[in-house]
Amino acid sequence: MHDVRVLADGASVEVALDPIRASILDVLSEPGSAATVAAEIGSTRQKVNYHLKALEAHGLVEPVETRAWGGISERFVRRTARHLVVSPNVLQRTAVDPEAIGDRLSAAYLIAVNARTVSEVGAIAGDPATETRVPTLTVDAVIGFASPQDRAAFAAELQSAIAALAAKYHHDDGRPHRLTVSSYPRPKESS
């Protein structure tokens, strides 16, 4: 089972968002059959089996085993990913272009850059021809700045350090990697 799958087509998103199918996906974090899922969600085996076929047709569940019970075969399936994320490209035909946003310090620019990241990395990770592990780097940290001046100084130092590292390791004939660094106020945690 994958940790995250990016849904890049509207049909898969529509199938996953159906309330009954979403409840089936919730149950299938562990393998289950139409009968065990039906008992869990309070439905009939036939209705669940119908929905499982649609989920399987869109790659949202996969078979894991078949058990024989006195002449009857019971198919067990599980979800193909723990978490599903919708690609921004599903909602509109043209990808979000960060370059079209003039204010590089705006929330809109940050969202556009991260939407591009979800679209691009989702497409790479979802491509069957891609190697099993996509070479990525993620840095995630929380920094408590004492003042806006400290935040600005940190940003300047970080930009300078990244520019120096990029100049040191960039080769025109190398495989291009996109580097994005973002910062935003962390939301307050609910209690």
Side-chain angles (χ1 to χ4, degrees):
M1 180 185 308
H2 298 283
D3 285 322
V4 177
R5 178 174 170 210
V6 177
L7 301 180
D9 68 284
S12 293
V13 173
E14 186 176 351
V15 167
L17 287 177
D18 175 88
I20 294 170
R21 292 174 182 158
S23 67
I24 291 170
L25 286 171
D26 285 343
V27 171
L28 289 175
S29 57
E30 297 295 326
S33 67
T36 62
V37 171
E40 187 77 25
I41 68 168
S43 185
T44 65
R45 181 187 56 76
Q46 293 84 356
K47 284 183 182 178
V48 168
N49 200 39
Y50 167 80
H51 292 296
L52 284 174
K53 286 180 182 178
L55 290 165
E56 189 172 356
H58 290 278
L60 299 169
V61 300
E62 63 189 358
V64 290
E65 70 175 300
T66 302
R67 296 181 190 165
W69 302 93
I72 297 173
S73 292
E74 189 173 22
R75 256 177 110 232
F76 283 75
V77 297
R78 70 171 179 205
R79 54 189 301 151
T80 55
R82 283 184 185 85
H83 304 283
L84 301 173
V85 176
V86 177
S87 172
N89 295 352
V90 170
L91 302 175
Q92 57 191 30
R93 289 185 184 261
T94 57
V96 178
D97 181 10
E99 301 305 317
I101 298 169
D103 184 358
R104 297 267 172 131
L105 299 176
S106 69
Y109 183 74
L110 173 70
I111 292 168
V113 167
N114 286 300
R116 179 182 63 196
T117 301
V118 169
S119 295
E120 290 178 351
V121 177
I124 293 167
D127 182 356
T130 300
E131 56 201 58
T132 53
R133 187 171 166 96
V134 178
T136 66
L137 164 70
T138 303
V139 178
D140 186 17
V142 176
I143 304 168
F145 294 110
S147 68
Q149 294 81 11
D150 282 355
R151 184 179 52 78
F154 176 84
E157 283 185 51
L158 182 61
Q159 286 174 323
S160 176
I162 289 173
L165 283 169
K168 180 178 179 181
Y169 290 101
H170 174 75
H171 296 281
D172 288 338
D173 60 344
R175 181 179 178 192
H177 281 66
R178 189 181 303 279
L179 174 67
T180 60
V181 178
S182 58
S183 174
Y184 56 91
R186 186 174 84 178
K188 292 185 170 135
E189 294 179 13
S190 58
S191 34

